[in-house]
Amino acid sequence: MMSELMVESNQLTKYFNSLLAVDKINLEIPKGKIYALLGPNGAGKTTTIRMLLGLLKPSSGSVMVNGKSVSDDPKSIRGEIGILPQFSAAYYDLTPMQNIHFILELNNISYDDVSASLAEYFRTLDISYELLNKPFSKLSGGEQRSISFIMAAITNKEFLILDEPTSGLDIARAKYIRSIIKYLVEQQGKTILLSSHIVSDLEELADYCGILKKGKLIFQGRKEEIIELYAPDTQDFEDAIVNAFGVKTTNSQTFMGGNK
Amino acid sequence: MSKEEKRPKQLKALLKKDLKLLLRKRVAIFVFGGPFILMFLLIGLPSLFSSQQTMVLLIYSDDSDYNGINIGASVLDNITYYFSFDPSIEVVQNVTSFSEVKATDNFGVYLPSNFSLLTFTGSPIYFTVDATQSLFSESIFNTIHAITQNVIATVLANRTLPVIQTIEEPPTSLPEEQLLGPKAAAVAMPLSYMIFLLIALNSGSYSNIGFAREKRMRTMEILLSYTKKHSHLVISKTITSLVASLGSTLSYILGIIAATSLTGAGTEGIFEIFGLNMQLLNAGDIIIIFIFAVTALLISTLITMAIDCNITREASERLSPLLSIGLAMFFYFVALSNPLSASTTLVINPFYWCYRLALLLISGKFSIEIIIYLSLIIGLGGLLIFFATRGIQKEKSLYLE
């Protein structure tokens, strides 16, 4: 499918006791691109991400991340991937600044080396100095998400996994986060695995898509291909995703028979 | 930057973060301020109202001499002399009649008029102490009785009034004490109390800094993703927990010192609080006591952590302090009943291993027992670190919330 791959899995499978969470998926994420991992709730996205991070051991199959076999040696990948988890990534009792310092120290990054970038992040996402010194718990949901995003981005990893990066953000901050993501890929050559349910994010950002359904990877390819395959009539990306998920987009599926 | 250089920095970063979480206002007040406030309130506050009044002991002798010897007067002299060294008893007051003894709420000793006569004829003697049934008053009664007996015995032997003097007698040796020696005997109770106290104070603070909290805050994923060596997570939490517990203990001691200073009695410090006999023990013994009390604390922390990492958050928050305190309590109460004997009921209790090993080392009895207990402690510690680290690396730490 693609030339140089950041992630390559082979028949990757995960069982939780008898529950099949991920079913023999062959994921291929090219370097320097944004790959959107999509799927309805419970499709296996988080489990897949955790296997890429080396946090979960596959039941069978293998996965390589940046040339390293994560399934054979999960330790090899630790600290190599920047992560924005679905839920907050920060300590609520520490201030945003203390949280950022912790992530920098954990990744052996000097604050002085990234202070200019941080200032730019704060300016772009409208994070004031006052806000940075409040307890994280006192911040609004959008502010918390923005700080968590900065904590992932500032680690300067080649590969970033962003789970719902714009969830809970206001329109302006969501727009700026998208622009930062594009900048990280286009200007810094980073690879991003994006998991999101927000169609505008996916439409604007995704180069490639993978669709998981009940643990199976039912589609993997360029964004244009998913439209051709699942919504040839409407040429609408949202329709294509909904169709791929297996929900019919007839009027009977809309609320009270109204417009979709 | 090589991995070898990076790893200690990760441990430093983790430790810094854990200590920051420990020192945040809400937790610090609870962990470091709580024991101080508690002890101050429990001991200091009541003392403001009561303990400044030292106890008064009234004595009265109606005894007249017999064959020229007045034993009653001698008994009263001895009682007065004896209690002149006790700061909790106000100088013994001689009163002039028995009715004065009866008319007061103070402790009183009354010797009848024919006390000397009865003594020499070998008849039963009754001397009255107006005492409640409290342990304290009972101990005074026993003391007075012992003084009286000594005076009578001396008088009967010498037919002269005894010279007042202080006699220090060594306590009666039990067989176990004869085996382990007086130093171990002096350490046994203080050490068992110290271990119990450290573990009891530790269990409260751990829930604020342990992995259960990381799970609750959903920060485990970040920690596990970025930390190269997961044992560093366990080490960092262990060190933080030790800091919390030692800080709590220090706060507890300071609370007692501050509270007792209000009474005017004044506690001289840590050794007196734990009942350590510093005339008998040397610096090496104190270091051994400290090392093994901290070792017991370390094991308690690792037990909590191993449970924390391997079962659900809610279950671990309930089970781990229960197990840790349960083991400590069981150890403490069994040790209280027979402090120097080797206990079979405690043979699987790791706190007892630390305790017994400390006693053996202090007594200088180098035997196979030392090697066994040392191996058990090291083995259990390693096993608990292994289980904790392994638990973190399994999906349990992420999913079992």
Side-chain angles (χ1 to χ4, degrees), chain B residues 128-153:
Chain B
T128 311
V129 176
D130 182 14
T132 64
Q133 291 305 308
S134 73
L135 285 174
F136 186 72
S137 56
E138 191 182 331
S139 73
I140 286 183
F141 182 88
N142 290 338
T143 306
I144 290 167
H145 186 259
I147 290 169
T148 311
Q149 271 191 323
N150 282 335
V151 170
I152 292 170

Short mmCIF file of all heavy atoms in Angstrom, two decimals, chain B residues 128-153:
data_model
loop_
_atom_site.label_atom_id
_atom_site.label_comp_id
_atom_site.label_asym_id
_atom_site.label_seq_id
_atom_site.Cartn_x
_atom_site.Cartn_y
_atom_site.Cartn_z
N THR B 128 -4.52 1.50 105.16
CA THR B 128 -5.57 1.85 104.21
C THR B 128 -5.05 2.80 103.14
O THR B 128 -4.34 3.75 103.44
CB THR B 128 -6.72 2.54 104.95
OG1 THR B 128 -7.03 1.76 106.08
CG2 THR B 128 -7.93 2.72 104.08
N VAL B 129 -5.42 2.53 101.92
CA VAL B 129 -5.16 3.49 100.84
C VAL B 129 -6.49 3.80 100.22
O VAL B 129 -7.20 2.91 99.76
CB VAL B 129 -4.20 2.91 99.79
CG1 VAL B 129 -4.05 3.88 98.64
CG2 VAL B 129 -2.86 2.61 100.40
N ASP B 130 -6.85 5.04 100.23
CA ASP B 130 -8.12 5.44 99.63
C ASP B 130 -7.90 5.62 98.13
O ASP B 130 -7.64 6.71 97.65
CB ASP B 130 -8.57 6.76 100.28
CG ASP B 130 -9.91 7.19 99.73
OD1 ASP B 130 -10.57 6.36 99.08
OD2 ASP B 130 -10.29 8.34 99.97
N ALA B 131 -7.97 4.52 97.43
CA ALA B 131 -7.61 4.57 96.02
C ALA B 131 -8.75 4.07 95.15
O ALA B 131 -9.54 3.25 95.57
CB ALA B 131 -6.39 3.70 95.78
N THR B 132 -8.84 4.61 93.96
CA THR B 132 -9.82 4.07 93.01
C THR B 132 -9.23 2.80 92.42
O THR B 132 -8.10 2.44 92.72
CB THR B 132 -10.09 5.07 91.87
OG1 THR B 132 -8.87 5.22 91.16
CG2 THR B 132 -10.57 6.39 92.41
N GLN B 133 -9.98 2.18 91.57
CA GLN B 133 -9.49 0.92 91.00
C GLN B 133 -8.69 1.13 89.73
O GLN B 133 -8.41 0.20 89.00
CB GLN B 133 -10.67 -0.01 90.70
CG GLN B 133 -11.36 -0.54 91.94
CD GLN B 133 -10.38 -1.23 92.88
OE1 GLN B 133 -9.64 -2.10 92.48
NE2 GLN B 133 -10.38 -0.81 94.14
N SER B 134 -8.33 2.37 89.45
CA SER B 134 -7.58 2.61 88.21
C SER B 134 -6.18 2.00 88.32
O SER B 134 -5.67 1.79 89.42
CB SER B 134 -7.45 4.10 87.95
OG SER B 134 -6.54 4.65 88.85
N LEU B 135 -5.60 1.75 87.18
CA LEU B 135 -4.29 1.12 87.15
C LEU B 135 -3.27 2.00 87.85
O LEU B 135 -2.38 1.53 88.54
CB LEU B 135 -3.85 0.89 85.70
CG LEU B 135 -4.53 -0.27 84.98
CD1 LEU B 135 -4.11 -0.28 83.53
CD2 LEU B 135 -4.15 -1.58 85.64
N PHE B 136 -3.46 3.31 87.67
CA PHE B 136 -2.49 4.23 88.22
C PHE B 136 -2.49 4.18 89.75
O PHE B 136 -1.46 4.05 90.39
CB PHE B 136 -2.79 5.65 87.73
CG PHE B 136 -1.74 6.63 88.14
CD1 PHE B 136 -0.48 6.60 87.53
CD2 PHE B 136 -1.98 7.57 89.10
CE1 PHE B 136 0.49 7.49 87.89
CE2 PHE B 136 -1.01 8.47 89.47
CZ PHE B 136 0.24 8.43 88.88
N SER B 137 -3.70 4.26 90.31
CA SER B 137 -3.76 4.25 91.77
C SER B 137 -3.36 2.89 92.32
O SER B 137 -2.76 2.78 93.39
CB SER B 137 -5.16 4.62 92.23
OG SER B 137 -6.11 3.77 91.66
N GLU B 138 -3.66 1.87 91.55
CA GLU B 138 -3.28 0.53 91.98
C GLU B 138 -1.75 0.42 92.05
O GLU B 138 -1.19 -0.16 92.96
CB GLU B 138 -3.84 -0.50 91.00
CG GLU B 138 -3.71 -1.92 91.51
CD GLU B 138 -4.24 -2.92 90.48
OE1 GLU B 138 -5.14 -2.53 89.71
OE2 GLU B 138 -3.73 -4.02 90.45
N SER B 139 -1.09 1.03 91.08
CA SER B 139 0.37 0.97 91.08
C SER B 139 0.94 1.72 92.28
O SER B 139 1.93 1.32 92.87
CB SER B 139 0.93 1.50 89.76
OG SER B 139 0.81 2.90 89.72
N ILE B 140 0.28 2.83 92.66
CA ILE B 140 0.73 3.57 93.85
C ILE B 140 0.56 2.70 95.09
O ILE B 140 1.44 2.61 95.95
CB ILE B 140 -0.08 4.87 94.01
CG1 ILE B 140 0.38 5.87 92.98
CG2 ILE B 140 0.11 5.46 95.40
CD1 ILE B 140 -0.29 7.21 93.10
N PHE B 141 -0.59 2.05 95.14
CA PHE B 141 -0.86 1.17 96.29
C PHE B 141 0.22 0.10 96.41
O PHE B 141 0.76 -0.15 97.48
CB PHE B 141 -2.24 0.53 96.12
CG PHE B 141 -2.61 -0.36 97.27
CD1 PHE B 141 -3.26 0.19 98.39
CD2 PHE B 141 -2.32 -1.71 97.28
CE1 PHE B 141 -3.60 -0.62 99.45
CE2 PHE B 141 -2.65 -2.52 98.34
CZ PHE B 141 -3.31 -1.97 99.43
N ASN B 142 0.54 -0.49 95.24
CA ASN B 142 1.56 -1.54 95.25
C ASN B 142 2.91 -0.99 95.71
O ASN B 142 3.66 -1.65 96.43
CB ASN B 142 1.70 -2.15 93.84
CG ASN B 142 0.47 -2.97 93.49
OD1 ASN B 142 -0.26 -3.42 94.38
ND2 ASN B 142 0.21 -3.14 92.20
N THR B 143 3.21 0.21 95.28
CA THR B 143 4.49 0.83 95.66
C THR B 143 4.54 1.04 97.17
O THR B 143 5.53 0.70 97.84
CB THR B 143 4.64 2.19 94.94
OG1 THR B 143 4.47 1.98 93.56
CG2 THR B 143 5.99 2.81 95.21
N ILE B 144 3.46 1.60 97.70
CA ILE B 144 3.41 1.86 99.14
C ILE B 144 3.52 0.56 99.94
O ILE B 144 4.25 0.46 100.91
CB ILE B 144 2.09 2.61 99.49
CG1 ILE B 144 2.16 4.03 98.93
CG2 ILE B 144 1.86 2.64 101.00
CD1 ILE B 144 0.83 4.74 98.93
N HIS B 145 2.82 -0.42 99.43
CA HIS B 145 2.85 -1.73 100.09
C HIS B 145 4.26 -2.28 100.09
O HIS B 145 4.75 -2.80 101.10
CB HIS B 145 1.89 -2.67 99.36
CG HIS B 145 1.73 -4.00 100.04
ND1 HIS B 145 2.37 -5.13 99.60
CD2 HIS B 145 1.04 -4.36 101.14
CE1 HIS B 145 2.06 -6.14 100.39
NE2 HIS B 145 1.25 -5.70 101.35
N ALA B 146 4.94 -2.15 98.95
CA ALA B 146 6.30 -2.67 98.84
C ALA B 146 7.23 -1.91 99.79
O ALA B 146 8.09 -2.52 100.46
CB ALA B 146 6.79 -2.53 97.40
N ILE B 147 7.06 -0.60 99.85
CA ILE B 147 7.91 0.21 100.74
C ILE B 147 7.69 -0.24 102.19
O ILE B 147 8.64 -0.47 102.94
CB ILE B 147 7.56 1.71 100.60
CG1 ILE B 147 8.03 2.23 99.22
CG2 ILE B 147 8.24 2.54 101.70
CD1 ILE B 147 7.50 3.61 98.89
N THR B 148 6.45 -0.40 102.54
CA THR B 148 6.12 -0.79 103.91
C THR B 148 6.72 -2.15 104.24
O THR B 148 7.32 -2.33 105.31
CB THR B 148 4.58 -0.83 104.08
OG1 THR B 148 4.06 0.37 103.56
CG2 THR B 148 4.18 -0.98 105.53
N GLN B 149 6.58 -3.06 103.31
CA GLN B 149 7.12 -4.41 103.54
C GLN B 149 8.64 -4.36 103.75
O GLN B 149 9.18 -5.02 104.62
CB GLN B 149 6.82 -5.29 102.33
CG GLN B 149 5.48 -5.99 102.44
CD GLN B 149 5.32 -7.05 101.37
OE1 GLN B 149 5.77 -6.82 100.25
NE2 GLN B 149 4.71 -8.15 101.72
N ASN B 150 9.30 -3.54 102.91
CA ASN B 150 10.76 -3.42 103.03
C ASN B 150 11.15 -2.86 104.39
O ASN B 150 12.10 -3.32 105.03
CB ASN B 150 11.32 -2.52 101.92
CG ASN B 150 11.40 -3.28 100.61
OD1 ASN B 150 11.49 -4.51 100.63
ND2 ASN B 150 11.37 -2.57 99.50
N VAL B 151 10.40 -1.84 104.80
CA VAL B 151 10.71 -1.21 106.10
C VAL B 151 10.54 -2.23 107.22
O VAL B 151 11.41 -2.40 108.07
CB VAL B 151 9.79 0.01 106.33
CG1 VAL B 151 9.95 0.52 107.77
CG2 VAL B 151 10.12 1.12 105.35
N ILE B 152 9.43 -2.94 107.19
CA ILE B 152 9.14 -3.92 108.25
C ILE B 152 10.21 -5.00 108.27
O ILE B 152 10.74 -5.36 109.34
CB ILE B 152 7.73 -4.54 108.04
CG1 ILE B 152 6.67 -3.48 108.28
CG2 ILE B 152 7.53 -5.73 108.98
CD1 ILE B 152 5.28 -3.90 107.88
N ALA B 153 10.54 -5.51 107.07
CA ALA B 153 11.53 -6.58 107.01
C ALA B 153 12.86 -6.12 107.59
O ALA B 153 13.53 -6.86 108.34
CB ALA B 153 11.71 -7.03 105.56
#
